[in-house]
């Protein structure tokens, strides 16, 4: 093993850094998952996780990664051959639509440019054209982690309502949950998919389905085969705080502390901290003279920024240089963006000092690789972090 002094800077857009109090809770001895102590833990986290989704409805917690919760959202609500309407925002929306094909569903995918978010008017148009109501669900990604674009989910809800269409609304919040404002109930979302390893500051291994009453009703009719991911047994076991199979006991111990930390800081303050880090990052990137992958200001992501390097420069070589010189990991470009962009994660357990360390490390890499950039990006970020910058308007409010 080679020891690198100082903490590794994990600045990929998830998994994120896990704070010590959460690590300490996970390191506690495993408890009996059928004993009384677990029942209390289960009831505690199952109830309090609802706040993060802004829902009063049940949230299912699976011992799996986000991909499992994607599958759960589909298999619990749909039947073989059902059509869904999806929007191509980037790599993750594309993977989700590939999964629908594998599950014998039929996705109608509205093509996107990987630089902007879901176009609500295109969703409305497609739903209006579907007079026979063949489309059973609209499935979109709230924060596209491959591009750093956040879509306006309230606008998608309005589009479905304006078209008077009964389709369910399924939303992936894997890289926005606990980082960017999301309102499951208010926005009429039927299934919200989440994961533990990003805004919730936990290691990977827990994934969520927040479900509406309409989704529960749909699950009674849905014919896709399911067993492990089925909601029914989960919901009945969860009533007393238990699970139908062995849950991720230690991660749930960590989740309880993660919820404490979020509660202590206040959800709105958590969002504001992410907004500020994102703005400071963009100011640095703009100052350096690089393009941000997201083209639409109202859709800038507060949990990550994808940065385009000028032609002729390899984003992967830059990331490699930075890792060697500063012990910091940055996100790579995915799919067609491979080697074209690098992604700065500024989410989860993240402070002003972490951000300045991150941006300074990027500058070290740029300089070392001889990539032309304008010196002073870190100072531009400091202007934001020290309050000398215009106030932040959150993307959702800006679009309303
Ligand atoms: C938006 C989004 N959706 C889905 C996934 C897949 O989740 P997982 O890798 O936890 O299975 C990811 C992973 O990064 C993601 O960012």
């Amino acid at each position: 093993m080679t020891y690198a002094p100082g903490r590794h800077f994990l600045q990929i857009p998830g998994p994120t850094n896990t704070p010590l109090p959460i690590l300490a809770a996970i390191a506690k001895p495993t408890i009996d998952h059928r004993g009384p102590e677990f029942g209390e833990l289960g009831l505690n986290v199952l109830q309090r996780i609802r706040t993060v989704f802004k829902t009063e409805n049940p949230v299912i917690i699976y011992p799996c990664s986000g991909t499992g919760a994607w599958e759960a959202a589909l298999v619990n609500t749909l039947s073989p051959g059902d059509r869904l309407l999806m929007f191509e925002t980037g790599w993750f929306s594309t993977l989700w639509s590939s999964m629908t094909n594998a599950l014998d569903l039929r996705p109608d995918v509205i093509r996107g440019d990987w630089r902007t978010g879901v176009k609500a008017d295109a969703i409305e148009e497609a739903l209006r054209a579907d007079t026979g109501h063949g489309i059973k669900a609209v499935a979109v990604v709230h924060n596209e982690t491959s591009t750093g674009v956040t879509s306006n989910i309230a606008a998608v809800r309005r589009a479905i309502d304006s078209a008077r269409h009964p389709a369910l609304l399924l939303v992936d919040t894997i890289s926005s949950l606990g980082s960017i404002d999301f309102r499951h109930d208010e926005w009429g979302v039927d299934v919200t998919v989440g994961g533990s390893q990003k805004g919730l500051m936990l290691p990977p291994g827990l994934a969520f389905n927040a479900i509406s009453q309409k989704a529960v009703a749909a699950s009674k009719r849905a014919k896709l085969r399911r067993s492990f991911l089925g909601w029914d047994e989960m919901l009945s076991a969860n009533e007393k705080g238990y699970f139908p199979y062995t849950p991720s006991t230690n991660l749930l111990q960590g989740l309880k502390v993660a919820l404490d930390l979020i509660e202590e800081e206040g959800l709105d303050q958590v969002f504001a901290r992410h907004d500020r880090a994102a703005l400071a990052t963009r100011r640095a990137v703009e100052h350096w003279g690089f393009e941000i992958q997201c083209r639409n200001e109202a859709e800038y992501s507060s949990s990550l920024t994808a940065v385009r390097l000028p032609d002729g420069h390899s984003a992967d070589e830059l990331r490699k240089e930075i890792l060697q010189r500063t012990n910091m990991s940055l996100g790579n470009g995915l799919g067609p963006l491979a080697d074209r962009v690098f992604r700065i994660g500024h989410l989860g357990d993240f402070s002003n000092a972490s951000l300045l360390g991150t941006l300074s490390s990027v500058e070290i890499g740029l300089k070392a690789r001889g990539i032309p950039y304008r010196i002073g990006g870190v100072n531009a970020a400091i202007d934001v972090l020290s309050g000398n910058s215009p106030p932040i308007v959150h993307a959702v409010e800006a679009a309303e």
Side-chain angles (χ1 to χ4, degrees):
M1 185 177 110
T2 26
Y3 173 70
R7 278 192 82 137
H8 178 70
F9 261 50
L10 184 65
Q11 298 316 141
I12 57 175
T16 62
N17 297 288
T18 305
L20 283 176
I22 299 182
L23 286 174
I26 293 170
K28 282 205 284 191
T30 303
I31 59 174
D32 171 10
H33 64 289
R34 304 204 197 279
E37 194 183 345
F38 186 86
E40 270 177 42
L41 172 69
L43 285 177
N44 182 301
V45 294
L46 285 162
Q47 182 59 38
R48 288 165 72 221
I49 189 70
R50 296 180 186 196
T51 319
V52 186
F53 287 90
K54 296 199 174 169
T55 183
E56 294 187 352
N57 287 305
V59 177
I60 301 230
I61 307 180
Y62 292 107
C64 66
S65 85
T67 303
W70 262 353
E71 182 160 337
L74 301 169
V75 296
N76 280 286
T77 56
L78 299 167
S79 299
D82 274 356
R83 282 170 61 206
L84 299 95
L85 184 60
M86 303 185 86
F87 198 102
E88 179 201 17
T89 43
W91 179 252
F92 290 100
S93 71
T94 303
L95 286 186
W96 202 12
S97 66
S98 307
M99 175 186 274
T100 66
N101 277 316
L103 292 173
D104 203 13
L105 296 165
R106 290 186 297 146
D108 296 352
V109 181
I110 304 175
R111 295 292 158 206
D113 58 5
W114 290 49
R115 300 200 68 173
T116 51
V118 175
K119 295 199 173 30
D121 50 358
I123 299 269
E124 184 173 340
E125 197 183 320
L127 292 179
R128 279 189 193 280
D130 178 39
T131 48
H133 294 171
I135 294 171
K136 299 300 176 202
V138 174
V140 291
V141 175
H142 181 213
N143 187 67
E144 178 52 74
T145 325
S146 60
T147 60
V149 174
T150 306
S151 290
N152 186 336
I153 301 303
V156 175
R157 173 77 265 162
R158 285 195 293 273
I160 299 173
D161 292 346
S162 309
R164 295 177 190 280
H165 199 287
L168 295 165
L169 175 58
L170 317 181
V171 181
D172 168 339
T173 64
I174 288 177
S175 59
S176 54
L177 187 73
S179 306
I180 301 172
D181 192 13
F182 178 81
R183 309 174 191 177
H184 176 89
D185 286 359
E186 188 184 320
W187 295 343
V189 180
D190 294 299
V191 188
T192 299
V193 174
S196 56
Q197 73 271 28
K198 307 209 184 216
L200 290 180
M201 308 171 285
L202 289 156
L206 295 179
F208 309 96
N209 273 183
I211 53 185
S212 70
Q213 293 308 319
K214 185 173 163 189
V216 174
S219 75
K220 310 287 179 210
R221 301 183 300 268
K223 301 241 160 17
L224 276 177
R225 280 175 186 262
R226 55 192 183 268
S227 168
F228 177 72
L229 295 174
W231 288 341
D232 270 6
E233 284 186 45
M234 265 290 209
L235 286 173
S236 59
N238 284 176
E239 274 174 27
K240 294 204 161 63
Y242 295 95
F243 287 69
Y245 40 73
T246 313
S248 298
T249 321
N250 292 52
L251 286 179
L252 294 172
Q253 290 171 179
L255 176 59
K256 181 165 182 264
V257 175
L259 294 169
D260 291 342
L261 298 183
I262 291 172
E263 213 172 274
E264 199 178 309
E265 185 177 355
L267 201 50
D268 287 342
Q269 280 71 31
V270 171
F271 297 149
R273 175 166 55 80
H274 284 78
D275 289 345
R276 196 166 47 246
L279 180 65
T281 303
R282 291 194 299 272
R283 290 287 186 271
V285 173
E286 284 156 7
H287 188 96
W288 289 330
F290 302 138
E291 238 185 295
I292 291 167
Q293 179 67 16
C294 176
R295 264 204 185 118
N296 181 358
E297 276 184 36
E299 294 176 323
Y300 281 144
S301 167
S302 285
S303 55
L304 79 135
T305 301
V307 183
R308 292 172 72 87
L309 274 193
D311 286 345
H313 294 283
S314 158
D316 287 347
E317 288 302 322
L318 173 65
R319 288 187 314 106
K320 205 158 116 193
E321 188 85 44
I322 291 171
L323 180 61
Q324 274 165 5
R325 286 181 187 267
T326 71
N327 193 19
M328 177 171 87
S329 300
L330 293 168
N332 62 329
L334 293 165
L337 301 180
D339 210 24
R340 288 282 297 135
V341 307
F342 65 92
R343 294 172 299 144
I344 303 174
H346 33 72
L347 74 164
D349 183 38
F350 202 72
S351 69
N352 289 347
S354 346
L355 183 62
L356 293 177
T358 303
L359 297 173
S360 302
S361 298
V362 173
E363 281 206 21
I364 290 174
L366 292 170
K367 193 164 197 168
R369 287 213 52 84
I371 298 173
Y373 73 101
R374 188 150 70 103
I375 291 169
V378 174
N379 270 332
I382 289 173
D383 274 346
V384 175
L385 301 177
S386 57
N388 294 336
S389 199
I392 303 155
V393 180
H394 195 269
V396 173
E397 287 148 24
E400 272 170 358

